[in-house]
């Protein structure tokens, strides 16, 4: 690689800076002599120093801040560090640490990253987008800070979410960082504490009505087509209603998707497929009972239905395998309080407000907790599931931890080690009756980075639900028998890059098969995807 940058300008460019790894020839040629120590360290030695400094940080947030600083001056070393041990570093650069980083963002900010587009820029958004230095942007991850994790409206403090999410595209699936643009759309905030905080980084006004917000997002989407024509827009952490409305508004018009809806459903679907493999069954042999029929529950039920129809069922038959239970009891045909989107899952059944009774009568093989009610899967629920099923599948997905419908320890103990379990949060391994069980975490980083890599490489025109089903199959299909032995429903995070690359290959194949690619179909799709994978290695600048 050659660069016109030299001297201090080069050192200040995190994409080119090699810190202490410049060779004598590079130092000489690029006017760096005297500006960096007179050594040429290997990347391994650099990594050793970073790890040592991280070990001295007192808290995870301190590690997050240190990593953000590292990225500001040496991008290669940042990704080398994260990719050296994803199981350790993904929770530092993203959830759970990022929650605290968002809450304190206005206070911990060192160096702005990504773009901040405000409603005040309305009318000339395309012009503002042109200020971004990279011209070939392939994914924008955008939030308005409306519902950050489980923390509510954080306005501009939500910016670490798109920043972190895009880092996962690179760290987990090898998407080259120069194609990725984190974006905050500033439509104000209703969070009084932030509005009163002198260090708050967003517009000091309340949120507008939906029409005004959507008009702003419409202009943004149009401007993206104009300035970055090969770009996919990934929506993240908007309020539930806006998330659903904006997805419907754009999914058939642009290359756009919502990870909270589609990625999350794909991630849980992977756990369901994996549990079926573990039991030696098919999805179509299973019966599902959801606790919670909100946005997460319905999104997942719809994707599950689509996956069941791909296994040969009619939509009606697929729906008959899915029951739902909400705060007012079982969804059944006599209920008059249901939303339209809940109706398909209201079957003919006696009304009941008792979840255990519903289990006794429906006899589900899998229960899925998306209710936000901590402890809702009590001993009675787990024991009933264990009596009805040899291997009950228990997915306690609500988070944070205090909202989980049961803990891993409870699921294994109350089922006498028979449960196949995953949660929305990471629980520690559990010892029961002389055996160690490793609970799985339904973590979105198993799905969206692979889908993103496939979209980036194929320059897909649209993002479809089928891509998420294919990704779920790709992930579930990579679990080895020894992982199942330990109870794992996802491949270990330590192998995430290879898992995601293989998954991206499957999704890319689907993109080509569906005629949605904007590049020519290569003979070897795996080699094509691998050819796009970013490696955290310094270029030779001499
Ligand atoms: P929501 O508020 O839209 O829906 C909650 C649902 O639970 C509603 O149907 C409500 O009627 C029901 N519910 C509330 N109290 C209940 C009770 N006592 N008994 C029975 N049902 C009750 O929430 P949303 O967005 O659907 O999320 C639900 C939870 O799932 C959240 O905690 C979220 O963090 C979690 N989640 C976790 C995922 C993961 O692990 N990857 C993925 C998606 C969601």
């Amino acid at each position: 690689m050659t660069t016109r940058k030299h001297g201090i300008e080069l050192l200040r460019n995190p994409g080119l800076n090699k810190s202490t790894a410049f060779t004598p020839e590079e130092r000489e040629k690029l006017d760096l002599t005297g500006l960096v120590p007179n050594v040429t360290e290997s990347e391994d030695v650099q990594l050793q120093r970073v790890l040592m400094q991280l070990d001295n940080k007192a808290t995870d947030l301190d590690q997050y801040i240190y990593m953000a600083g590292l990225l500001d001056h040496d991008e290669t070393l940042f990704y080398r560090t994260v990719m050296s041990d994803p199981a350790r570093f993904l929770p530092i650069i993203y959830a759970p640490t990022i929650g605290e980083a968002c809450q304190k963002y206005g206070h911990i900010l060192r160096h702005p990253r990504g773009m901040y587009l405000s409603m005040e820029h309305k009318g000339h958004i395309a012009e503002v987008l042109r200020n971004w230095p990279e011209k070939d942007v392939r994914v924008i991850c955008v939030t308005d800070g409306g519902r950050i994790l489980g923390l509510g409206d954080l306005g501009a403090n939500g910016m670490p979410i798109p920043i972190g999410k895009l880092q996962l595209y690179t760290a987990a699936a090898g998407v080259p960082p120069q194609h990725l643009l984190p974006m905050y759309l500033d439509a104000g905030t209703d969070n009084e504490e932030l509005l009163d905080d002198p260090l708050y980084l967003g517009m000091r006004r309340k949120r507008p009505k939906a029409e005004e917000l959507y008009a702003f997002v419409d202009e943004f989407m149009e401007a993206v087509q104009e300035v970055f024509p090969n770009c996919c827009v990934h929506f993240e952490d908007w309020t539930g209603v806006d998330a659903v409305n904006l997805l419907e508004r754009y999914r058939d018009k642009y290359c756009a998707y919502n990870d909270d809806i589609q990625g999350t459903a794909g991630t849980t679907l992977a756990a369901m497929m994996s549990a079926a493999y573990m039991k030696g069954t098919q999805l179509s042999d299973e019966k599902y009972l959801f606790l919670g029929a909100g946005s997460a529950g319905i999104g997942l039920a719809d994707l599950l239905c689509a996956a069941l129809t791909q296994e040969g069922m009619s939509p009606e038959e697929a729906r008959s395998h899915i029951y739902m239970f909400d705060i007012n009891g079982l969804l059944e045909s006599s209920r008059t309080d249901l939303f339209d989107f809940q109706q398909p899952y209201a079957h003919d059944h006696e009304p009941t407000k008792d979840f255990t009774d519903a289990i006794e009568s429906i006899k589900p093989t899998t229960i899925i907790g998306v209710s936000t009610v901590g402890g809702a899967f009590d001993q009675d629920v787990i024991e009933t599931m264990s009596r009805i099923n040899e291997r009950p599948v228990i997915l306690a997905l609500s988070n944070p931890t205090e909202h989980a419908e049961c803990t891993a320890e409870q699921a294994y103990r109350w089922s006498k080690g028979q449960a196949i379990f995953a949660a929305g949060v990471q629980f520690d391994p559990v010892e029961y009756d002389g055996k160690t069980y490793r609970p799985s975490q339904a973590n979105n980083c198993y799905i969206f980075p692979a889908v993103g890599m496939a979209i980036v490489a194929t320059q897909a025109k649209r993002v479809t639900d089928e891509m998420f089903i294919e990704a779920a199959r790709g992930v579930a299909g990579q679990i080895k028998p020894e992982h199942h032995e330990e109870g794992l429903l996802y491949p270990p995070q330590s192998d995430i890059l290879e898992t995601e690359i293989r998954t991206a290959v499957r999704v890319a194949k689907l993109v080509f098969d569906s005629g949605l690619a904007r590049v020519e179909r290569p003979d070897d799709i795996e080699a094509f995807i691998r050819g796009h994978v970013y490696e955290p290695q310094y270029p030779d600048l001499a």
Side-chain angles (χ1 to χ4, degrees):
M1 183 196 253
T2 55
T3 171
R4 266 181 287 163
K5 293 200 181 353
H6 66 114
I8 206 80
E9 198 192 352
L10 177 64
L11 295 183
R12 288 190 179 145
N13 183 317
L16 294 171
N17 186 18
K18 299 168 74 162
S19 303
T20 52
F22 287 105
T23 62
E25 298 75 45
E26 287 169 332
R27 291 202 293 270
E28 174 66 28
K29 190 176 159 203
L30 300 165
D31 302 333
L32 293 169
T33 308
L35 298 182
V36 285
N38 205 25
V39 294
T40 303
E41 286 188 333
S42 70
E43 286 145 330
D44 286 345
V45 171
Q46 289 185 313
L47 177 61
Q48 204 183 324
R49 182 177 297 107
V50 169
L51 295 179
M52 197 196 71
Q53 293 179 359
L54 279 167
D55 284 342
N56 289 332
K57 300 289 168 207
T59 66
D60 288 351
L61 185 64
D62 290 340
Q63 293 196 42
Y64 174 89
I65 293 170
Y66 174 88
M67 291 299 284
L70 179 59
L71 180 59
D72 285 339
H73 80 262
D74 189 334
E75 182 179 86
T76 309
L77 188 51
F78 170 86
Y79 281 112
R80 193 169 184 82
T81 305
V82 176
M83 292 162 92
S84 72
D85 191 352
R88 171 177 172 186
F89 289 111
L90 297 191
I92 297 295
I93 64 167
Y94 201 71
T97 312
I98 203 156
E100 194 183 351
C102 287
Q103 285 169 310
K104 299 180 177 162
Y105 192 55
H107 296 207
I108 64 171
L109 178 82
R110 287 350 190 225
H111 192 284
R113 174 164 289 277
M115 290 197 89
Y116 294 77
L117 258 180
S118 151
M119 286 189 81
E120 288 166 1
H121 300 131
K122 231 175 152 291
H124 41 104
I125 291 179
E127 207 179 303
V128 178
L129 286 182
R130 287 199 182 88
N131 287 340
W132 186 247
E134 295 288 344
K135 299 303 160 214
D136 188 10
V137 172
R138 304 276 182 90
V139 183
I140 291 175
C141 179
V142 64
T143 189
D144 73 338
R147 190 217 42 119
I148 295 298
L149 307 167
L151 303 167
D153 179 358
L154 292 189
N157 277 20
M159 186 53 159
I161 294 291
I163 293 173
K165 210 85 196 198
L166 289 176
Q167 287 166 356
L168 300 189
Y169 275 78
T170 303
V175 179
Q178 71 270 20
H179 293 318
L180 306 173
L181 169 53
M183 179 83 58
Y184 169 58
L185 288 194
D186 193 348
T189 177
D190 291 337
N191 185 324
E192 298 286 351
E193 204 182 315
L194 292 176
L195 289 171
D196 291 340
D197 181 350
L199 297 184
Y200 178 61
L201 295 161
M203 250 194 324
R204 282 162 206 282
R205 58 160 272 186
K206 290 282 178 86
R207 289 186 179 274
K209 288 210 161 46
E211 310 88 79
E212 199 183 338
L213 175 68
Y214 296 172
F216 173 45
V217 187
D218 283 347
E219 185 188 337
F220 163 71
M221 292 301 282
E222 277 300 319
V224 169
Q225 311 312 304
E226 192 184 319
V227 181
F228 306 120
N230 294 323
C231 186
C232 171
V233 179
H234 160 168
F235 285 80
E236 186 71 33
D237 282 5
W238 296 64
T239 65
V241 178
D242 292 336
V244 171
N245 289 343
L246 294 171
L247 180 63
E248 285 316 308
R249 205 168 171 103
Y250 303 130
R251 63 183 302 157
D252 296 327
K253 194 169 175 199
Y254 305 119
C255 182
Y257 78 97
N258 184 303
D259 185 56
D260 302 306
I261 299 173
Q262 295 158 289
T264 291
T267 303
T268 313
L269 184 61
M272 292 171 162
M273 289 171 169
S274 179
Y277 294 152
M278 204 188 269
K279 292 164 60 178
T281 61
Q282 308 269 332
L283 282 185
S284 49
D285 298 322
E286 304 292 314
K287 201 182 243 186
Y288 301 91
L289 175 59
F290 287 68
L291 186 73
S295 50
I298 296 288
L300 173 57
D302 289 348
L303 197 72
L304 176 59
C305 256
L308 287 168
T309 52
Q310 286 187 357
E311 284 192 5
M313 282 185 175
S314 68
E316 204 173 40
E317 202 184 351
R319 286 194 289 271
S320 75
H321 283 239
I322 301 171
Y323 285 78
M324 303 192 98
F325 194 103
D326 74 0
I327 193 158
N328 295 322
L330 184 69
L331 272 60
E332 39 78 22
S333 44
S334 74
R335 289 260 305 253
T336 53
D337 60 338
L338 301 181
F339 292 106
D340 285 352
F341 57 80
Q342 294 173 323
Q343 293 289 358
Y345 304 103
H347 306 300
D348 287 337
H349 193 284
E350 286 294 301
T352 173
K353 291 191 178 229
D354 185 310
F355 190 61
T356 313
D357 277 355
I359 294 175
E360 290 282 8
S361 129
I362 294 163
K363 302 204 175 4
T365 57
T366 303
I367 51 174
I368 305 110
V370 273
S371 64
T372 72
V373 183
F377 293 167
D378 58 17
Q379 188 163 355
D380 201 19
V381 165
I382 305 286
E383 285 179 355
T384 307
M385 280 296 287
S386 311
R387 183 163 40 74
I388 295 171
N389 298 283
E390 204 176 307
R391 303 293 318 269
V393 183
I394 313 289
L395 307 178
L397 299 178
S398 290
N399 56 54
T401 308
E402 53 281 15
H403 289 192
E405 282 79 5
C406 66
T407 64
E409 211 265 332
Q410 290 168 334
Y412 293 122
R413 187 157 42 85
W414 290 336
S415 70
K416 300 196 168 40
Q418 291 310 299
I420 298 175
F421 176 81
V425 295
Q426 185 63 64
F427 283 109
D428 288 336
V430 173
E431 299 285 336
Y432 176 80
D433 206 13
K435 195 174 163 190
T436 305
Y437 297 86
R438 287 173 63 191
S440 298
Q441 184 193 9
N443 188 325
N444 285 22
C445 75
Y446 284 109
I447 297 289
F448 77 83
V451 173
M453 175 49 125
I455 291 169
V456 165
T458 62
Q459 297 182 26
K461 285 184 250 182
R462 297 284 178 272
V463 188
T464 62
D465 285 347
E466 287 67 34
M467 294 179 193
F468 290 91
I469 298 176
E470 191 61 19
R473 274 202 197 97
V475 170
Q478 290 184 62
I479 303 186
K480 303 195 174 93
E482 62 265 31
H483 300 143
H484 276 168
E485 253 321 284
E486 296 174 292
L488 283 177
L489 291 176
Y490 299 93
Q493 270 192 12
S494 50
D495 293 339
I496 189 109
L497 182 63
E498 200 44 39
T499 304
E500 296 299 277
I501 291 172
R502 293 205 192 108
T503 304
V505 171
R506 286 183 71 142
V507 180
K509 184 168 181 305
L510 176 71
V511 177
F512 286 114
D513 291 346
S514 333
L516 289 174
R518 281 185 281 197
V519 300
E520 209 173 307
R521 187 186 184 107
D523 292 335
D524 182 342
I525 294 179
E526 176 159 356
F528 167 75
I529 290 292
R530 288 187 188 278
H532 282 81
V533 171
Y534 165 83
E535 284 177 23
Q537 274 166 8
Y538 292 124
D540 179 357
L541 297 173

